[in-house]
Amino acid sequence: MEDVKITAESFEKIAGDQSANQEKISAPSLTFFQDAVRRLRKNKVAVVSFFVLLIIAVVAFCSPILAPNDPNTQNADYANLPPRIANTNIPGFRGEIKNAAGIITHPYETNNVPKNRTYLLGTDYLGRDLFSRVLYGTRLSLIIAFVATLVDLLIGLPYGIISGWKGGKVDTFMQRIIEIISSVPNLIVVILLLLVLKPGLSSIIIAIAFSSWVTMARLIRAQTLQLKEQEYVLASLTLGESSFKIALKHLIPNLSSTIIIQTMFSIPNAIFFEAFLSFIGIGIPAPNASLGTLLSDGQKAFRFLPYQMWYPAIVLCVLMIAFNLFADGLRDAFDPKSE
């Protein structure tokens, strides 16, 4: 074999910037939140649910502008009018309805309603515009749900952190309180509170928030028990950081996924619970409308005037389904191990 001579010319010179470019990581560096958002965007069902909720919320909170009539204005001459849209042949919106004998009637003509006056979703038994009442009722139900969930967060988050961080006798005492509250059915607690408090919006919010924070507190406590054993928390304690600063800097940021997910599951529960209370007659007092009161009024004439119950029921179902699907998407995005 011939000896091969290796000289300086045998090597190809590589520029310094070229070598550095070869060692670069091709994937972009993402924070935990950015990575969660990226995973959430891949979940088409969750994205669609988010936009559905956004549209409903915008329309509901713009109800003072979008509502064609005052939701509480009564007009006995226009009672129980079916849905009608001017100059349309869409079934269900022609202003006609079948009576008990199965004969199609035209209440708009019978009641001498002007041709230019239409009701998109019809009217109720007092002649109130059902479309306006659904808009205002959805807004009221969302307000109750959001405020009750905020109260739930303000109580459950610090309660769970303190219980998990302190441990020992403090944790035992605080958990016994939670067990006592959990042992009593929520409906009984709410009914007793509503009997003591004056019926109204604030009473409903307090009653719902009184026991709903328990789940949040338990989840936060369980996560805090794990986080307080982490090295960065022990290092902060060694450096003399106060418990309050550790909670703000380390615990709450690492609890953010649990907080967001539980909050998104709490909102539909609050909406449904408020609707249930109003449906059985101990919720929002008349003449104010919520989804529960609209369902309660509609079911009384459901056999002959089904539209009075169908529309609020559809809105409630869409809200519940969209919130739960979006919450499932958030859970998969923030906690991929749970998939």
Side-chain angles (χ1 to χ4, degrees):
M1 290 181 64
E2 297 181 1
D3 293 336
V4 179
K5 276 191 172 185
I6 299 176
T7 61
E9 288 77 10
S10 302
F11 296 93
E12 182 181 355
K13 189 175 181 181
I14 299 176
D17 57 345
Q18 185 180 353
S19 177
N21 290 332
Q22 291 176 351
E23 296 178 1
K24 282 184 178 180
I25 300 175
S26 57
S29 178
L30 299 175
T31 63
F32 171 75
F33 184 77
Q34 290 173 334
D35 190 42
V37 171
R38 180 185 61 82
R39 286 195 294 267
L40 181 63
R41 286 177 177 174
K42 292 181 178 180
N43 191 331
K44 303 301 182 184
V45 175
V47 172
V48 172
S49 299
F50 170 75
F51 282 107
V52 169
L53 292 173
L54 184 63
I55 292 171
I56 293 176
V58 170
V59 171
F61 284 100
C62 291
S63 54
I65 302 172
L66 299 177
N69 299 293
D70 188 323
N72 298 327
T73 300
Q74 302 178 14
N75 189 338
D77 295 333
Y78 297 162
N80 296 324
L81 293 177
R84 184 174 80 168
I85 300 176
N87 303 320
T88 184
N89 288 320
I90 301 175
F93 293 93
R94 298 171 181 170
E96 56 188 28
I97 195 168
K98 288 184 179 181
N99 58 17
I103 301 172
I104 296 177
T105 61
H106 299 81
Y108 283 84
E109 297 177 3
T110 306
N111 294 3
N112 297 319
V113 180
K115 291 185 178 180
N116 60 348
R117 191 172 185 85
T118 60
Y119 292 97
L120 181 61
L121 300 183
T123 60
D124 64 3
Y125 67 102
L126 293 175
R128 295 173 295 192
D129 182 11
L130 194 57
F131 177 65
S132 299
R133 289 182 66 76
V134 168
L135 288 180
Y136 275 85
T138 305
R139 185 183 70 160
L140 189 59
S141 296
L142 288 175
I143 289 173
I144 291 174
F146 285 132
V147 176
T149 304
L150 179 62
V151 175
D152 169 20
L153 183 63
L154 293 177
I155 297 175
L157 178 60
Y159 194 98
I161 289 177
I162 293 172
S163 179
W165 181 259
K166 292 293 184 182
K169 293 182 178 180
V170 174
D171 182 33
T172 302
F173 176 75
M174 296 178 75
Q175 291 308 302
R176 296 297 83 78
I177 295 175
I178 288 181
E179 290 174 4
I180 292 171
I181 296 175
S182 301
S183 63
V184 183
N186 290 342
L187 183 59
I188 295 177
V189 174
V190 171
I191 291 175
L192 292 175
L193 283 173
L194 291 175
L195 290 175
V196 175
L197 301 172
K198 184 180 179 181
L201 181 64
S202 58
S203 302
I204 294 290
I205 292 172
I206 294 172
I208 294 176
F210 183 80
S211 57
S212 62
W213 60 270
V214 170
T215 304
M216 176 72 77
R218 281 178 166 169
L219 290 173
I220 296 300
R221 171 186 174 270
Q223 292 292 319
T224 303
L225 288 173
Q226 296 179 2
L227 291 174
K228 74 176 186 178
E229 302 298 331
Q230 299 297 319
E231 289 81 358
Y232 54 86
V233 175
L234 297 176
S236 299
L237 284 172
T238 306
L239 294 173
E241 285 280 7
S242 64
S243 299
F244 181 75
K245 288 186 177 180
I246 291 175
L248 289 180
K249 291 182 178 180
H250 301 298
L251 297 183
I252 292 179
N254 285 282
L255 291 169
S256 59
S257 60
T258 303
I259 295 170
I260 293 171
I261 294 168
Q262 180 57 30
T263 299
M264 292 307 301
F265 277 113
S266 297
I267 293 175
N269 290 337
I271 292 175
F272 179 79
F273 202 50
E274 180 279 324
F276 172 72
L277 293 176
S278 298
F279 183 81
I280 63 177
I282 60 174
I284 299 298
N288 296 320
S290 73
L291 293 177
T293 58
L294 293 173
L295 288 172
S296 179
D297 293 340
Q299 62 88 24
K300 297 173 185 176
F302 179 73
R303 183 177 177 183
F304 303 108
L305 303 169
Y307 66 89
Q308 294 186 4
M309 185 175 176
W310 274 122
Y311 296 118
I314 290 172
V315 173
L316 180 61
C317 291
V318 170
L319 278 174
M320 297 292 295
I321 293 172
F323 266 116
N324 280 285
L325 290 176
F326 184 54
D328 283 334
L330 285 175
R331 180 179 58 190
D332 295 339
F334 281 96
D335 188 13
K337 294 180 181 178
S338 64
E339 294 182 358

